[in-house]
Amino acid sequence: MTAPHPCQGAAKTAVRDQLLTARRRRPLTEVGEAARALAEHLLGTDEVRRAATVAAYVSVGTEPGTTALLDRLAEAGKHVLLPVLLADNDLDWARYHGPTSLAPARRGLLEPVGPALGVDAIATADVVLVPGLAAAPDGRRLGRGGGSYDRALARVPVGTFTCVLLYDDELLPAVPAEPHDRPVTAAATPAGVVRFTA
């Protein structure tokens, strides 16, 4: 992997700081309303309705909420895969079997306690839902900087519906990007689902 260009790295850090500060200031009522709207929009997409397997994640803090979405996916009979953060920041995957199948993990995360399926399990998902801080119309997404999801998205077959969950004001005209950044095909916000054209 090539070293990040210093200007791009600094730009990413500055944008991340602004976005994280804005998230910390969001009222909990807004976070809850956003979570319900996101679930409705995503469950209404053809891609999610047709999917047998959905890779998702457990939101933390003031991230756009996924708890209701995970339960509704499971209730709809979907196989839901959730990430397990490895020591090298790569992501393993395990099945979600409801809230009682989650346990506290490093970095304040909640992770599934079932058998690990391997880092390549994400390639079996029909839909991949990922966290992020922002996205642009070209599908570039800004994550938290660990590179976990760029590695995971590199294993996802071309043509898979990959969607970042954001707040409405986190859809930006552009985000700082580096060569290893993997684009997504869509963003879900409380206002709806936006499909990108790379």
Side-chain angles (χ1 to χ4, degrees):
M1 186 181 297
T2 58
H5 188 281
C7 292
Q8 286 296 81
K12 280 185 169 183
T13 300
V15 174
R16 269 190 200 107
D17 288 348
Q18 292 169 2
L19 293 163
L20 286 167
T21 298
R23 278 195 178 176
R24 282 192 291 271
R25 293 181 176 150
R26 288 189 191 276
L28 288 180
T29 53
E30 181 189 341
V31 174
E33 289 164 7
R36 286 186 287 279
L38 283 165
E40 290 301 322
H41 294 312
L42 284 164
L43 291 162
T45 64
D46 290 340
E47 292 90 349
V48 172
R49 275 201 303 265
R50 290 194 306 255
T53 301
V54 176
Y57 64 98
V58 182
S59 58
V60 294
T62 53
E63 282 186 324
T66 61
T67 306
L69 174 63
L70 295 176
D71 289 337
R72 290 184 62 187
L73 288 168
E75 287 163 11
K78 315 288 184 192
H79 296 286
V80 180
L81 304 181
L82 296 179
V84 176
L85 185 65
L86 299 174
D88 65 355
N89 274 354
D90 207 343
L91 298 176
D92 202 333
W93 299 86
R95 285 279 306 275
Y96 175 67
H97 295 286
T100 58
S101 69
L102 300 175
R106 294 183 301 134
R107 299 190 188 171
L109 300 173
L110 286 173
E111 293 180 345
V113 295
L117 302 173
V119 295
D120 292 322
I122 192 172
T124 67
D126 305 298
V127 166
V128 177
L129 305 177
V130 299
L133 295 173
D138 61 0
R140 296 288 175 194
R141 95 181 227 294
L142 182 68
R144 288 182 175 260
S148 301
Y149 276 92
D150 288 316
R151 281 201 252 178
L153 287 168
R155 300 180 179 109
V156 175
V158 173
T160 302
F161 182 70
T162 55
C163 183
V164 60
L165 278 56
L166 302 170
Y167 293 103
D168 296 324
D169 57 0
E170 294 170 343
L171 281 175
L172 305 178
V175 296
E178 297 169 57
H180 67 268
D181 292 335
R182 298 286 173 159
V184 291
T185 62
T189 77
V193 175
V194 178
R195 286 167 172 79
F196 299 134
T197 53

